Amino acid sequence: MSTVIVRQVMKAVIPLMLLVSLNFFLQGHNLPGGGFIAGVMAAAAVALIYIVFDFEGVKQLVGKDNEEVHFVEEYIPVSDAGIALAAGTGLLSTSLGLSFLSHRKGIIHLPFFGEFHWTTAMLFDLGVFMAVFGSLLAIVEVLGEE
């Protein structure tokens, strides 16, 4: 069991970790970072929830405290979808007669944020994020149950 202080600190740290994960994801197509490190950071945030609030506490947080719950069954499809998305971005460019994983780019004007530069590489990064996030959390849960 963790102390009250640790639980309160984690309530502040976990959202910050998720924001850093989002930042890593968004900068990935222009700077070092991207789907892999963002997935690791997001999985670490959720793993901290498991560690600090224990498995029974997590079940209470999601409202399934009276049920036999195995989140692995929810994480593996996320991982599978991520692999399909990452591979699909390469196959889509090939089906259009381009080289495998060739990408396009553009600019979107967002209110409050201004110009946002996007590339189709973000879809690949999203697939990698989902694959890493789902796989790591499935591993954490399996190890945590033992």
Side-chain angles (χ1 to χ4, degrees), residues 84-100:
L85 180 60
T89 58
L91 295 175
L92 178 64
S93 61
T94 304
S95 69
L96 295 174
L98 303 169
S99 61
F100 186 74

Side-chain angles (χ1 to χ4, degrees), residues 58-72:
V58 172
K59 286 182 4 183
Q60 288 176 352
L61 285 173
V62 297
K64 297 183 178 185
D65 50 348
N66 295 328
E67 301 175 30
E68 182 67 26
V69 177
H70 297 285
F71 292 109
V72 171

Side-chain angles (χ1 to χ4, degrees), residues 7 14 45-67 69-71 74-75 137 140-141:
R7 287 177 184 229
I14 290 170
V46 176
L48 276 175
I49 294 171
Y50 278 124
I51 292 168
V52 171
F53 296 100
D54 69 33
F55 190 68
E56 295 303 318
V58 172
K59 286 182 4 183
Q60 288 176 352
L61 285 173
V62 297
K64 297 183 178 185
D65 50 348
N66 295 328
E67 301 175 30
V69 177
H70 297 285
F71 292 109
E74 296 176 21
Y75 296 139
L137 287 180
V140 165
E141 184 180 341

Side-chain angles (χ1 to χ4, degrees), residues 134-146:
S135 299
L136 287 178
L137 287 180
I139 291 168
V140 165
E141 184 180 341
V142 168
L143 290 176
E145 286 179 350
E146 290 183 8

Side-chain angles (χ1 to χ4, degrees), residues 123-136:
L123 290 175
F124 177 78
D125 280 342
L126 179 62
V128 171
F129 172 86
M130 292 169 61
V132 169
F133 182 76
S135 299
L136 287 178

Side-chain angles (χ1 to χ4, degrees), residues 17-118:
M17 289 178 72
L18 294 173
L19 281 174
V20 169
S21 173
L22 178 64
N23 181 46
F24 284 154
F25 177 78
L26 291 177
Q27 78 178 8
H29 62 283
N30 291 327
L31 299 169
F36 183 81
I37 192 64
V40 170
M41 180 67 77
V46 176
L48 276 175
I49 294 171
Y50 278 124
I51 292 168
V52 171
F53 296 100
D54 69 33
F55 190 68
E56 295 303 318
V58 172
K59 286 182 4 183
Q60 288 176 352
L61 285 173
V62 297
K64 297 183 178 185
D65 50 348
N66 295 328
E67 301 175 30
E68 182 67 26
V69 177
H70 297 285
F71 292 109
V72 171
E73 292 145 1
E74 296 176 21
Y75 296 139
I76 295 300
V78 171
S79 180
D80 293 344
I83 292 168
L85 180 60
T89 58
L91 295 175
L92 178 64
S93 61
T94 304
S95 69
L96 295 174
L98 303 169
S99 61
F100 186 74
L101 283 179
S102 62
H103 295 289
R104 300 288 176 253
K105 61 182 177 180
I107 298 174
I108 299 174
H109 298 281
L110 298 173
F112 304 112
F113 296 105
E115 289 184 348
F116 178 73
H117 296 266
W118 64 270

